[in-house]
Amino acid sequence: EILFEKSEMVIASSDLLLKKVKNKNAKKSLMLKNAGDFDHFNKAFSKLEIPRDIKKIKKPIIGYYGAIAKWFDANLLEKLLKDHIDKSFVLIGRIDNHDVEYLSRKYKNLHLFGEKKYSELPNYLEQFDVCLIPFVINDLIRATNPVKIYEYFAAGKPVVATKIPELE
């Protein structure tokens, strides 16, 4: 509360956060949506070297990179894995969601690659046929403007996402 009152300006990255800021005693507020490094992720159009671990994965590949935490919808992922057994699902990122780890043992079409360097992400992204943002809709996600949508779009990839307010 004190920071809101003493700050010259409060910056929010989503409509929900801006609404909250306006309900405080902030002198000024600014909406500044997230963005991605277009040039870095647009490289996924340029026939990059295919990483060894994804070379052996059967196409089409439905991919995701980022944190695989409690907001990652494991129930939705399981439905997708069941409904699309002819497709490979590649998840890149640190896994803090044990349900997703369990699914990787249950379904052969789910491949967990762990964390990768930022510099390598375009190489993986180029191999994705479709990108996912499968987040559970909760208070955190309602206030989230996911950077990965800008990165996926910079690579010209189609994206399937849950109904995240900032993506509407």
Side-chain angles (χ1 to χ4, degrees):
E1 299 296 324
I2 293 169
L3 284 174
F4 279 110
E5 289 175 26
K6 292 194 180 242
S7 296
E8 291 297 317
M9 179 179 289
V10 178
I11 299 172
S13 61
S14 73
D15 291 327
L16 180 65
L17 293 178
L18 186 64
K19 236 181 254 180
K20 288 183 180 210
V21 166
K22 289 187 183 249
N23 288 335
K24 304 295 180 183
N25 290 323
K27 292 178 185 101
K28 286 185 188 175
S29 59
L30 172 70
M31 168 64 79
L32 186 60
K33 301 274 185 173
N34 285 325
D37 182 341
F38 180 85
D39 291 334
H40 181 69
F41 289 95
N42 189 250
K43 288 187 272 188
F45 275 119
S46 44
K47 300 292 180 210
L48 301 170
E49 182 179 337
I50 301 172
R52 192 175 325 162
D53 52 0
I54 204 167
K55 257 185 192 177
K56 61 186 176 202
I57 303 298
K58 185 179 80 129
K59 291 265 193 174
I61 295 174
I62 299 171
Y64 168 88
Y65 61 75
I68 302 165
K70 64 182 178 182
W71 60 79
F72 192 98
D73 194 334
N75 293 327
L76 176 58
L77 177 62
E78 183 166 26
K79 180 173 179 10
L80 292 170
L81 290 164
K82 282 183 199 175
D83 292 351
H84 300 279
I85 57 171
D86 59 324
K87 295 170 184 69
S88 298
F89 289 77
V90 171
L91 307 183
I92 297 171
R94 191 172 101 205
I95 301 169
D96 291 323
N97 184 323
H98 300 295
D99 294 334
V100 172
E101 285 178 316
Y102 167 75
L103 292 176
S104 72
R105 294 188 294 276
K106 189 174 174 184
Y107 295 94
K108 301 254 186 273
N109 59 334
L110 176 58
H111 308 275
L112 304 181
F113 281 16
E115 289 183 275
K116 300 293 180 186
K117 293 178 185 172
Y118 180 79
S119 61
E120 298 173 326
L121 290 178
N123 300 64
Y124 287 94
L125 183 54
E126 184 178 36
Q127 299 307 307
F128 295 173
D129 295 291
V130 175
C131 298
L132 286 179
I133 306 178
F135 294 166
V136 172
I137 305 303
N138 58 24
D139 288 343
L140 174 69
I141 298 306
R142 280 186 201 90
T144 298
N145 183 276
V147 171
K148 65 180 74 326
I149 190 81
Y150 305 104
E151 297 167 348
Y152 291 165
F153 283 168
K157 297 297 178 174
V159 179
V160 176
T162 51
K163 197 170 172 140
I164 299 166
E166 285 298 310
L167 299 184
E168 289 183 26

